[in-house]
Amino acid sequence: MDFALSEDQQAIREAILGLCAQFPEDYWLQKDRDAVFPEEFYRAVAQAGWLGIATPEEFGGSGLGITEAAVMMQAIAESGAGMSGASSIHMAVFSLQPVNLFGTPHQQQAILPPVADGTDRVCFAVTEPNTGLNTTELKTRAERHNGGYLINGEKIWISTAQTANKMLLLARTTPLEEVARKTDGLSLFYTDLDRSKIEVRLIHKMGRHAVDSNMLFIQDLWIPEDHRIGVEGQGFKQIIHGLNPERILIGAEAIGIGRAALQRAARYARERIVFNRPIGQNQGIQHPLAKCWAQLEAANLMVMKAATLFDKGEDCGIEANAGKYLAAESAFEACHTAMLTLGGMGYAQEYHVERLLREVMIPRTAPVSPHMILNYLAEKVFDLPKSY
Amino acid sequence: MKALVPVKRVIDYNVKPRVKSDGSGVDLANVKMSMNPFDEISVEEAIRLKEAGKIEEIIAVSVGPAKAQETLRTALAMGADRAILIETDETVEPLAVAKLLQKVAEEEQPGLIILGKQAIDDDANQTGQMLAALMDRPQGTFANTVELDSDSVTVKREIDGGLETVKLQLPAIITTDLRLNEPRYASLPNIMKAKKKPLDTKTPADYGVNIAPRLTTTNVSEPPVRQAGEKVEDVDALVTKLKALGIA
């Protein structure tokens, strides 16, 4: 049992923190205020080769594991970039796992290198307004048409669709009534985000204004057959492979946000003098911060355990879900405590903790709610009957 | 032409150093360590000279504990070609480092040795000058600009109130100042490549250098706490005060 980062992981952490130091917290505050994509950050990360951290070496990446990707994403969030920084590159770093695993060599060669070097921007078009987490009931249809597929449907919470030129799309190729198992009949496509057939509508939301979230209205989008990834009807199973890494990365990002909030709170507590002494001398300030730190770092161990298991090729569903749950909840508590530590100033944008508090709500609810994680844990750990 | 770039592992510049309670030195337990920032500038300068086609090979060298390997890996990830660690857990003073570097330079025959002007832990600002003296080579210290030709190097030096330009015959020794360049961050592919670059480990004994300290540190203490200032009513009062203090 070794709880320390390896030398390489430490080097990755320090290098990415060094890069992030060029983008101080005021940069992120401004991007959030203006609701503008952090283009300069994205380009700097792409140029230094970080987008391809988990892409195989033969396709222009570094071929590292999800542990290293988690270390990187965590450091980005921790630098003060929060979800604005992490989400801006999240898709490029992680979403093409199904292409890695199920794409043809030709597809891999065509798809992966331009994403790893930042030329192509991908969004991940899976969730729908009328299905929620009940993914097998996706309504978007892909019907056979002219040697390809004709797509019609709606998608929601599609991040970066304002700037993406590509999308990874999950759609139903066989109607639900005609499949043997509910998980059959969905297929995965990697194709152009053709704005003449897809209306991308921005969702106005609570935080992370720099990275857009959208609704997609897809009407009569024709996709050639060779844009399908893997076997027709097996899309759900292909997506499943990406769920645990996604939980691990989101968990790691949440920890990063929590650390960023606690650092700012502790600094304020040291410097803010009231009643002739720093407020951080009061246990009423100290203990909540200390408790948050302990919970946050314990959660990080669970996230990193899940990452380690995943990279060893072992089952990590329970750890990945528990890690995401613990990370998001403790990060939320850390941000909340940080805001209270700063008192009124915590509510002012220039102290940055209110931005982190708004952003930490994302890992709390996405990609799966805490309630569904607890359902999952009850079923898998205790073998209790399904409640829904 | 080869360039030799010595790098030192020091307490990270962002860390607030704490003095040990017995006053014997700075507490380095569980403290973040990094490459001396002036050495980063040296590595960067060597890389730029290599990119300009004026240098063929960059050799990074460090004297220090096994952990100094990490510092050398950082130099390799930035763009150095190979590294030498002269491993010792002892305190090594500038003169001992200079003697070791002299031996390395005699083996490697670099046209240029680029050192940081000082390390941010002891701020000694001695190693480069001592090395130049030991080797009887020209030195351009506190470099602000470096222009390398085939047999000479022109160095603009930062001096009080301006810049001084010196032209040195190669082989020569340069120490870097803060404004020479802005060091790059290693890219991920280069971090990965750095793992495969050669790193030799030696000991001071391999070079026959006696590194026994010549100085004894008797006491290290925190700087005095800054005293509160004095508030004055208006500009007149301020001027009167300054005059009374003999400042204005």
Side-chain angles (χ1 to χ4, degrees), chain A residues 291-334:
Chain A
K291 194 172 157 189
C292 283
W293 181 85
Q295 285 169 340
L296 200 59
E297 295 305 318
N300 193 43
L301 293 179
M302 183 64 92
V303 171
M304 289 302 166
K305 180 181 177 186
T308 307
L309 288 172
F310 182 85
D311 284 338
K312 281 190 194 163
E314 293 176 24
D315 283 344
C316 67
I318 288 170
E319 289 80 5
N321 277 282
K324 188 313 253 197
Y325 170 78
L326 291 168
E329 296 305 306
S330 60
F332 169 73
E333 203 46 48

Side-chain angles (χ1 to χ4, degrees), chain A residues 364-383:
Chain A
R364 258 196 120 189
T365 41
V368 56
S369 68
H371 316 84
M372 287 301 277
I373 290 184
L374 295 176
N375 287 338
Y376 173 90
L377 292 178
E379 288 165 33
K380 300 289 172 188
V381 178
F382 299 126
D383 199 24

Side-chain angles (χ1 to χ4, degrees), chain A residues 254-319:
Chain A
I255 303 280
I257 294 182
R259 285 179 180 167
L262 291 182
Q263 281 165 17
R264 279 156 187 78
R267 187 172 61 212
Y268 189 85
R270 279 192 299 270
E271 292 170 359
R272 171 72 172 163
I273 310 283
V274 183
F275 299 116
N276 300 318
R277 59 192 206 152
I279 59 168
Q281 203 171 339
N282 303 313
Q283 290 183 346
I285 295 289
Q286 290 181 354
H287 287 187
L289 291 174
K291 194 172 157 189
C292 283
W293 181 85
Q295 285 169 340
L296 200 59
E297 295 305 318
N300 193 43
L301 293 179
M302 183 64 92
V303 171
M304 289 302 166
K305 180 181 177 186
T308 307
L309 288 172
F310 182 85
D311 284 338
K312 281 190 194 163
E314 293 176 24
D315 283 344
C316 67
I318 288 170
E319 289 80 5

Side-chain angles (χ1 to χ4, degrees), chain B residues 172-191:
Chain B
I173 286 155
I174 293 171
T175 75
T176 60
D177 214 320
L178 200 58
R179 281 155 289 267
L180 178 59
N181 60 48
E182 203 168 307
R184 71 194 61 196
Y185 295 104
S187 71
L188 180 60
N190 286 342
I191 292 174

Side-chain angles (χ1 to χ4, degrees), chain B residues 6 55 81 91 99 105 107 113 133 138 149-150 152 161 165 187 213 238 247:
Chain B
I55 278 179
D81 296 291
T91 303
K99 285 178 179 171
E107 273 179 17
I113 306 176
D149 291 316
S150 55
S152 71
T165 306
S187 71
L238 174 67
I247 298 168

